[in-house]
Amino acid sequence: MRILLFTGKGGVGKTTLAAATAVRLAGRGHETLVVSTDPAHSLADAFGARLAGEPSLVDTRLSAAHVDTRGLVDSVWDELRGKLRLVLAGAGVDSLDAEELTVVPGLDELLALTEVARLARTGAWETVVVDCGPTAETLRLLALPDAIGTYLKRVFPPRSVRGMVSGVGRQGWADAVERLAEHLTDLRELLADPQVTGVRLVLTPERLVVAESRRTLAALALRDIRVDGMIANRLVPKAGMRGVLQRGGPAATWLRTRRAEQDAVLAELRVSTPLELRVVEHRAAEPVGLTALADLADELYGRSDPLACGDSRPPSLLRMRPDGDAYLLRVALPLTEQSDVDLARVADDLAVTVDGMRRLVPLPAVLRRYAVVDASVDSDGLLVRFEIPVEALS
């Protein structure tokens, strides 16, 4: 099974390209599901069909669905949350505090992702194409399994929860919390498995959009989530320019200048990343319906397989080597000179923050008694120097 997540800045056309990819996969004989987790659902508009929370057939070997996040929260979490409030109240926690403790930030987005995983594992589909929300929401979504797993461990430590629950005769709800934490771990492993999950980053050839895309690449690498391709959408079409350019005038000047700017941006992007970059020209009519989406897929993929990509396994996030009495730790991230990077030591972890996205990276055991003394950024990411603290040598 393969899972392809399509994301990008709002308005770049990721929904249409996700739908076109699903049409191509189904046309090549793959049982395919395309599902939207974007709160502003537009997948139904791309197919010109009505979609619901449960998958429905839109073509041979192709099913589609919208994830109903509000319904998931109502049906899956609210009951467990109510029981946990009873548990906390039985343990002497004030009712207002219990209400706050059982609010999990970002739960609706997390449940959308767990629903995708459920559909992927329980259905007969070989490929699942996911139309994610805009980039910022997707990055938050993909960070949630770690963040909420940590939240559950801190707020509901297994031993303390079992102690509170047993006191009020609710042992099963401690098990439910533990199962939820285990489920989040499984979800995290699914997302980080490069043999299963890949991200397709959609952009338009504009400098601001490309800058955000570069930040996204670094943020996803920080999560060990593999980006296996980029798609530049809405290039000024060269074929349609010929007649206008021959006639000249302001329209010809605008088209020539705009396409030249787009080509320059894409040339810089190709130099800065080893990822495959596919391009799609702007169309006069919006692609709606199976026939139009199939035509778009022909332009996007040609004769190639949408599942084909480059190296199937991303480089290891951490690589360590000795340097005399010190150690150098390489944190492999696609950074630029404009990247805002911050490092901090938190117990046995290294807290790495890149452009506002933070992750606690467990340090190799040998480095836990060493201190960070220096760090630099180069084309291969972060290079952090660890040395034994002076006070430890005395």
Side-chain angles (χ1 to χ4, degrees):
M1 180 188 64
R2 289 288 304 280
I3 300 175
L4 301 180
L5 306 176
F6 278 72
T7 190
K9 188 177 175 66
V12 298
K14 59 181 179 53
T15 298
T16 302
L17 293 172
T21 299
V23 169
R24 166 56 66 90
L25 289 167
R28 292 176 67 93
H30 298 282
E31 291 293 337
T32 303
L33 171 67
V34 56
V35 58
S36 174
T37 63
D38 190 339
H41 292 308
S42 56
L43 189 61
D45 299 327
F47 285 111
R50 293 179 63 87
L51 299 178
E54 288 299 317
S56 57
L57 200 65
V58 295
D59 195 19
T60 305
R61 298 190 178 88
L62 177 60
S63 298
H66 284 159
V67 173
D68 179 11
T69 54
R70 184 67 262 164
L72 288 173
V73 172
D74 291 342
S75 64
V76 175
W77 175 250
D78 279 357
E79 181 181 1
L80 177 58
R81 183 182 175 206
K83 298 294 185 180
L84 288 173
R85 280 201 298 266
L86 290 176
V87 168
L88 292 169
V93 177
D94 182 84
S95 60
L96 181 60
D97 292 335
E99 179 73 21
E100 293 176 348
L101 286 172
T102 55
V103 173
V104 180
L107 184 72
D108 50 349
E109 293 99 330
L110 177 69
L111 289 177
L113 199 56
T114 59
E115 178 67 1
V116 170
R118 182 190 71 82
L119 292 171
R121 285 174 167 148
T122 60
W125 300 287
E126 300 170 68
T127 56
V128 178
V129 179
V130 185
D131 169 32
C132 298
T135 307
E137 283 77 5
T138 300
L139 292 176
R140 187 169 65 134
L141 183 74
L142 298 178
L144 283 173
D146 283 342
I148 295 183
T150 301
Y151 171 90
L152 288 173
K153 290 177 182 177
R154 290 178 178 174
V155 177
F156 306 114
R159 291 182 180 177
S160 63
V161 169
R162 286 187 177 278
M164 289 187 294
V165 173
S166 61
V168 293
R170 296 284 201 282
Q171 183 67 46
W173 297 109
D175 293 334
V177 173
E178 290 186 3
R179 285 197 303 270
L180 179 57
E182 291 171 0
H183 182 67
L184 292 173
T185 300
D186 291 342
L187 179 60
R188 178 72 184 85
E189 291 174 355
L190 179 71
L191 292 173
D193 185 348
Q195 303 297 335
V196 176
T197 302
V199 174
R200 303 288 164 90
L201 189 56
V202 181
L203 55 97
T204 50
E206 304 165 47
R207 294 192 183 279
L208 290 178
V209 177
V210 168
E212 178 175 317
S213 299
R214 286 171 170 158
R215 290 192 291 270
T216 301
L217 289 174
L220 290 171
L222 193 60
R223 296 283 163 197
D224 279 335
I225 295 173
R226 167 193 174 212
V227 177
D228 57 14
M230 304 176 73
I231 302 172
N233 194 22
R234 298 177 182 158
L235 272 72
V236 172
K238 285 187 174 180
M241 292 170 56
R242 190 175 298 112
V244 177
L245 294 178
Q246 288 174 349
R247 292 192 297 271
T253 301
W254 185 91
L255 287 171
R256 186 186 299 109
T257 302
R258 184 74 181 116
R259 180 60 191 245
E261 289 177 347
Q262 292 179 332
D263 287 340
V265 169
L266 294 181
E268 293 176 10
L269 184 60
R270 286 189 172 98
V271 170
S272 66
T273 175
L275 293 171
E276 180 183 31
L277 176 63
R278 297 182 181 273
V279 298
V280 179
E281 292 188 341
H282 210 316
R283 299 191 165 209
E286 187 176 0
V288 175
L290 293 170
T291 300
L293 292 171
D295 289 342
L296 178 61
D298 287 340
E299 179 185 351
L300 177 58
Y301 295 108
R303 295 177 178 271
S304 65
D305 182 356
L307 296 178
C309 53
D311 185 3
S312 62
R313 187 166 294 276
S316 173
L317 181 65
L318 300 180
R319 299 193 301 274
M320 183 181 69
R321 62 181 173 87
D323 184 43
D325 294 332
Y327 282 95
L328 296 177
L329 182 70
R330 166 70 66 188
V331 185
L333 296 172
L335 302 175
T336 67
E337 293 180 356
Q338 290 74 38
S339 297
D340 184 9
V341 182
D342 183 63
L343 295 176
R345 183 69 178 270
V346 180
D348 291 336
D349 297 332
L350 183 66
V352 183
T353 305
V354 179
D355 294 322
M357 295 295 296
R358 184 174 185 259
R359 180 184 173 188
L360 292 177
V361 180
L363 288 172
V366 69
L367 293 181
R368 291 174 184 171
R369 63 191 185 96
Y370 284 67
V372 176
V373 296
D374 192 20
S376 60
V377 174
D378 58 25
S379 59
D380 294 323
L382 281 170
L383 189 62
V384 186
R385 184 177 181 83
F386 287 80
E387 294 182 358
I388 291 287
V390 174
E391 57 272 19
L393 297 174
S394 58

